[in-house]
């Protein structure tokens, strides 16, 4: 073997080694990309699952809140009906005060007219 043949062999070996380095770099990039893609897909699936779980939980809480609100509304309606029947509701009390004030004013006018005549 001549020096030229030896040199060509070394160049070929160096080219092959450089190609392997290049391919290893591409392989590392591809592996990283695949791992990142897998993590993204897993995270996306977990996020979707978590979102669905939160939606279900929210629906249950909404139903419970509506039920509690309905019970509270029913109780408030019943209390208002009882207060109204007993004459304790605010509207009726205000109306009664106005009616009594009007009667007092009318009586005051009547007494004043009688006092002026007499």
């Amino acid at each position: 073997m001549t020096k030229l043949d030896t040199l060509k062999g070394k160049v070929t070996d160096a080219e092959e080694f450089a190609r392997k380095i290049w391919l290893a770099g591409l392989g590392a990039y591809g592996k990283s990309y695949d791992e990142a893609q897998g993590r993204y897909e897993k995270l996306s699936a977990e996020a979707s699952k978590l979102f669905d779980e939160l939606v279900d939980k929210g629906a249950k809480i909404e139903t419970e809140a509506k039920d509690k609100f309905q019970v509270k509304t029913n109780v408030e309606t019943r209390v208002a009906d009882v207060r109204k029947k007993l004459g304790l509701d605010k509207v009726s009390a205000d109306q009664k005060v106005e009616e009594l004030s009007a009667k007092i004013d009318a009586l005051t006018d009547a007494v004043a007219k009688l006092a002026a005549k007499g």
Side-chain angles (χ1 to χ4, degrees), residues 1-117:
M1 236 190 199
T2 65
K3 287 186 180 186
L4 184 59
D5 289 335
T6 304
L7 185 61
K8 283 182 182 179
K10 288 182 181 181
V11 168
T12 301
D13 289 345
E15 286 176 345
E16 188 62 31
F17 187 68
R19 182 168 171 13
K20 287 181 179 179
I21 291 172
W22 166 252
L23 292 174
L26 285 177
Y29 172 78
K31 186 173 182 177
S32 296
Y33 179 81
D34 290 344
E35 286 179 7
Q37 185 69 23
R39 287 181 186 156
Y40 171 76
E41 289 171 0
K42 182 179 177 185
L43 183 61
S44 179
E46 288 174 2
S48 180
K49 181 181 174 187
L50 177 61
F51 180 78
D52 291 341
E53 288 173 3
L54 291 173
V55 168
D56 290 342
K57 182 70 173 175
K60 289 176 185 174
I61 291 172
E62 179 184 44
T63 300
E64 291 171 5
K66 282 182 180 178
D67 291 345
K68 288 179 182 178
F69 180 75
Q70 185 63 38
V71 167
K72 182 180 177 193
T73 302
N74 289 342
V75 169
E76 288 175 350
T77 302
R78 290 179 185 167
V79 168
D81 289 344
V82 169
R83 288 180 61 86
K84 187 174 182 179
K85 288 177 183 175
L86 294 174
L88 300 174
D89 59 330
K90 184 172 172 52
V91 174
S92 293
D94 289 345
Q95 276 181 326
K96 288 180 181 178
V97 168
E98 287 179 23
E99 289 173 10
L100 289 173
S101 292
K103 288 179 181 178
I104 290 171
D105 290 343
L107 287 173
T108 303
D109 289 344
V111 169
K113 286 179 186 176
L114 288 174
K117 287 183 182 179

